[in-house]
Amino acid sequence: MNKVEQIKQEKDGLDVWEDIFRYAEQGFDAITEDDLTRLRWYGIYQQRPNNGHFMLRVRIPGGVLTSAQAAELAALARDRGRGFCDITTRQDIQFHWLTIADMAEVLPRLAGVGLTTKEACGDVTRNITGCPLHGVNADEIIDPTPLIERIGARILNDDAFSNLPRKFKICISGCPAQCAKPEINDLGLLAVKHPETGVVGYNVTVGGGLSTQPRFARNLDAWVTEDQAVDLAVAVTEIFRDDGYRVSRHRARLKYLVDDWGPEEFRARLQVKLPFTLSAGVPMEWEDTYEDHIGIRPQSQRGLFSLGITVLVGRISAEQLAAASDVAGRFGQGRLRTTLGQNLIVLDVAGEDVAEASRVLADAGLTVGAGPVERGAVTCTGIEFCNLAVVETKERMREIVSFVGANAAVDSPFRMQMNGCPNSCGQHHIADIGFQGGRVKIDGQVHECFDISVGGGLGNDRAFTHTIRRKVLAEDAKTVVANLMNAYTERRETGESFKAFIRRNTDEDLAAYLGGTEIPADAEVMEG
């Protein structure tokens, strides 16, 4: 039994709740080592350099925020988070620089506006994600909002699911572009209309995930109605809880169980647990498009528009979030959404107010839309706060975006995604250009560097990135990206996408396009 399993056996993660407020009075030094692990069940995670400060993650199911909630998040960032917070790739909000004493104030304030940090981290079902425009997307197959709420309430409020082998991620997608990325989730529910009955239900996929050994989710050849979906989600979670691997933390994700069982065996075992007979999956074609819902988009509600704001690398200041909250209240109906691309959307703006609302946002430093480089830039937390990261990410990506925007002829959106370690919180495996951080020692001096990978993406033509150059010095990253993008725009065939260009060229050619400084042959590659 590994150490975390021992900790969970001795006391459930959720049972640390009362201790949080006791520790808030007694101070950081009173927290036991085991309870530092259990604090994660309430979204509280030690931040680097582990000297008494914490990250706090807030669940935002489906990315749904009210203006009152956004205003309180902005106030908390101002009062306790040193003036900023981060939007994550699962639509959560993260604060930094909080102390354990702060939790006695912050947690009740969140609860006061209907927000929670419960099971935002830990070996539990994480925030359930979905298309950020669900309910207003004119093209959506179904509005999955009620299902996101029902499944979340069912699992989050049942202590029977507070001790899973590892984290468990659910995606519920009603968007034909599958922008919520079901392919990389443990459980995906993909809306599709049954060709015989015309009923809209959900195809089921299981076993997706990234980290150091990425997997695309496997099709279960199963289709469920909306009414059946909650029972199915519970049953899949139970299988993971009861049959998932608990000896090694590295093999404790659902994808390894699906690898060993195969989708047919998994489906058979799932069927035993269900009070209904699974229908066969419905054939579906996914739109192989880049869809981030950024910019000004007409909603399904006549005369209303969504304003998709680019929040570069997901970091937003307290003043900016407060401004977005104000715009949502003044020009809309008090509704906002966080996105899986670490961006933000204001909903329900009348056509005649779009220009003024956009101007107010711009005055706060928030751009509605943005160029093709900015909108697809995603990073993990990086060495600034994360104990696993070995390189800086957010400021490095800002530098890359600025340089590439000024020095490369980029005319279509593309995804640059950066990770400070191999674990892929920044999802570099599915990027057009992915960065995995590392370190090298040259002449006794340690340098940050990146492995550069290309060719990732989701949809019908899904693929993980592959590495074309290892250990590019971090200061050269901006140059090699600009060089590669210029090679693409100069050498592409008519109508050729970046992914197609990558596949048409050899890895040797692509590496040559990068340019940059070559790492000396005798450089020492360091762990991490």
Side-chain angles (χ1 to χ4, degrees):
M1 187 181 296
N2 64 63
K3 177 62 175 175
V4 177
E5 288 298 323
Q6 293 177 22
I7 290 171
K8 293 187 293 183
Q9 272 204 349
E10 292 164 4
K11 183 171 77 174
D12 189 85
L14 292 181
D15 290 342
V16 80
W17 176 252
E18 296 297 333
D19 298 306
I20 295 172
F21 297 92
R22 176 170 60 85
Y23 291 138
E25 293 183 357
Q26 296 176 345
F28 176 79
D29 290 339
I31 306 174
T32 67
E33 182 180 352
D34 289 355
D35 276 351
L36 279 172
T37 296
R38 296 186 187 101
L39 289 177
R40 299 173 190 176
W41 269 247
Y42 289 97
I44 304 169
Y45 212 111
Q46 276 200 99
Q47 75 175 37
R48 193 186 195 106
N50 300 334
N51 61 357
H53 290 102
F54 294 89
M55 175 200 83
L56 181 68
R57 182 179 295 156
V58 185
R59 292 175 71 106
I60 313 292
V64 175
L65 276 176
T66 66
S67 55
Q69 290 171 333
E72 185 64 7
L73 291 168
L76 287 170
R78 179 196 65 221
D79 298 343
R80 292 289 179 259
R82 299 196 181 182
F84 70 92
C85 55
D86 291 335
I87 305 170
T88 78
T89 57
R90 290 198 69 79
Q91 302 177 283
D92 293 314
I93 295 290
Q94 288 183 177
F95 296 104
H96 292 284
W97 295 114
L98 275 66
T99 66
I100 193 65
D102 291 331
M103 302 304 169
E105 173 191 346
V106 172
L107 296 177
R109 284 177 64 176
L110 290 169
V113 291
L115 293 173
T116 184
T117 66
K118 182 181 178 182
E119 299 189 5
C121 303
D123 295 350
V124 292
T125 300
R126 300 294 182 85
N127 192 46
I128 299 176
T129 59
C131 169
L133 291 187
H134 51 81
V136 303
N137 184 352
D139 297 325
E140 73 182 348
I141 303 163
I142 191 174
D143 178 6
T145 310
L147 187 57
I148 291 173
E149 294 172 350
R150 287 168 59 206
I151 292 178
R154 172 68 177 84
I155 295 177
L156 186 66
N157 294 320
D158 190 338
D159 290 354
F161 301 114
S162 64
N163 179 5
L164 304 179
R166 284 291 300 272
K167 56 190 172 184
F168 183 70
K169 298 180 178 180
I170 299 175
C171 165
I172 304 175
S173 177
C175 173
Q178 307 300 340
C179 67
K181 307 176 184 177
E183 306 99 312
I184 58 170
N185 278 259
D186 295 286
L187 171 61
L189 296 174
L190 290 66
V192 60
K193 182 182 292 187
H194 199 284
E196 297 177 3
T197 65
V199 174
V200 174
Y202 294 88
N203 277 344
V204 183
T205 61
V206 294
L210 296 179
S211 191
T212 56
Q213 295 182 301
R215 300 284 192 282
F216 288 125
R218 310 284 287 277
N219 187 352
L220 274 194
D221 187 24
W223 180 91
V224 295
T225 66
E226 187 170 15
D227 290 339
Q228 295 169 335
V230 175
D231 285 339
L232 179 129
V234 168
V236 174
T237 310
E238 288 175 342
I239 288 175
F240 180 47
R241 178 194 64 196
D242 299 339
D243 297 302
Y245 304 138
R246 292 179 182 263
V247 175
S248 167
R249 296 284 289 174
H250 296 295
R251 281 184 53 80
R253 291 295 301 275
L254 183 67
K255 61 187 177 184
Y256 297 108
L257 187 65
V258 175
D259 281 351
D260 292 346
W261 284 5
E264 295 81 9
E265 176 68 14
F266 194 99
R267 189 187 195 280
R269 298 203 188 196
L270 176 63
Q271 180 63 80
V272 172
K273 302 178 70 67
L274 294 172
F276 57 87
T277 301
L278 285 167
S279 299
V282 173
M284 61 185 302
E285 284 293 320
W286 297 6
E287 293 184 7
D288 195 17
T289 59
Y290 179 99
E291 182 54 89
D292 56 10
H293 302 296
I294 294 302
I296 300 167
R297 305 290 184 94
Q299 295 182 187
S300 55
Q301 297 81 12
R302 186 177 179 85
L304 298 182
F305 293 81
S306 64
L307 306 185
I309 302 161
T310 297
V311 181
L312 186 57
V313 300
R315 180 150 294 175
I316 188 167
S317 72
E319 293 77 13
Q320 288 172 330
L321 186 54
S325 169
D326 179 63
V327 167
R330 287 172 56 196
F331 298 101
Q333 298 170 16
R335 299 198 297 169
L336 305 95
R337 300 282 170 82
T338 53
T339 85
L340 291 94
Q342 301 181 312
N343 294 313
L344 187 67
I345 301 176
V346 173
L347 301 183
D348 310 315
V349 178
E352 60 269 24
D353 293 328
V354 165
E356 178 63 11
S358 299
R359 185 196 64 76
V360 174
L361 290 168
D363 288 345
L366 295 172
T367 303
V368 176
V373 181
E374 294 94 329
R375 62 196 289 175
V378 168
T379 77
C380 70
T381 300
I383 202 171
E384 181 182 15
F385 299 120
C386 178
N387 288 295
L388 299 177
V390 296
V391 300
E392 212 291 319
T393 56
K394 291 193 179 292
E395 288 307 313
R396 187 68 67 184
M397 181 62 85
R398 289 180 184 276
E399 180 183 80
I400 293 171
V401 166
S402 177
F403 186 87
V404 172
N407 293 278
V410 181
D411 55 10
S412 59
F414 74 105
R415 297 175 300 276
M416 291 193 298
Q417 300 187 222
M418 180 178 289
N419 216 69
C421 77
N423 290 310
S424 200
C425 296
Q427 302 179 344
H428 62 290
H429 291 300
I430 57 171
D432 290 308
I433 303 177
F435 307 80
Q436 179 178 311
R439 295 178 297 170
V440 293
K441 185 179 288 187
I442 303 173
D443 296 330
Q445 184 74 30
V446 176
H447 297 264
E448 293 185 0
C449 61
F450 292 101
D451 291 348
I452 307 296
S453 301
V454 295
L458 303 177
N460 292 320
D461 198 22
R462 70 195 68 167
F464 293 127
T465 54
H466 65 280
T467 303
I468 57 172
R469 172 82 65 78
R470 296 194 182 276
K471 310 310 174 193
V472 171
L473 292 176
E475 54 266 31
D476 281 349
K478 60 182 184 294
T479 303
V480 301
V481 173
N483 290 343
L484 180 59
M485 295 309 298
N486 282 328
Y488 163 60
T489 55
E490 294 166 5
R491 299 168 182 267
R492 64 187 171 185
E493 297 177 350
T494 302
E496 187 175 39
S497 68
F498 183 74
K499 184 186 292 186
F501 173 79
I502 293 297
R503 291 180 177 177
R504 181 169 59 83
N505 284 266
T506 67
D507 288 355
E508 292 75 17
D509 286 341
L510 295 171
Y513 298 151
L514 293 177
T517 304
E518 291 286 345
I519 297 293
D522 59 352
E524 178 187 352
V525 177
M526 305 179 70
E527 289 188 7

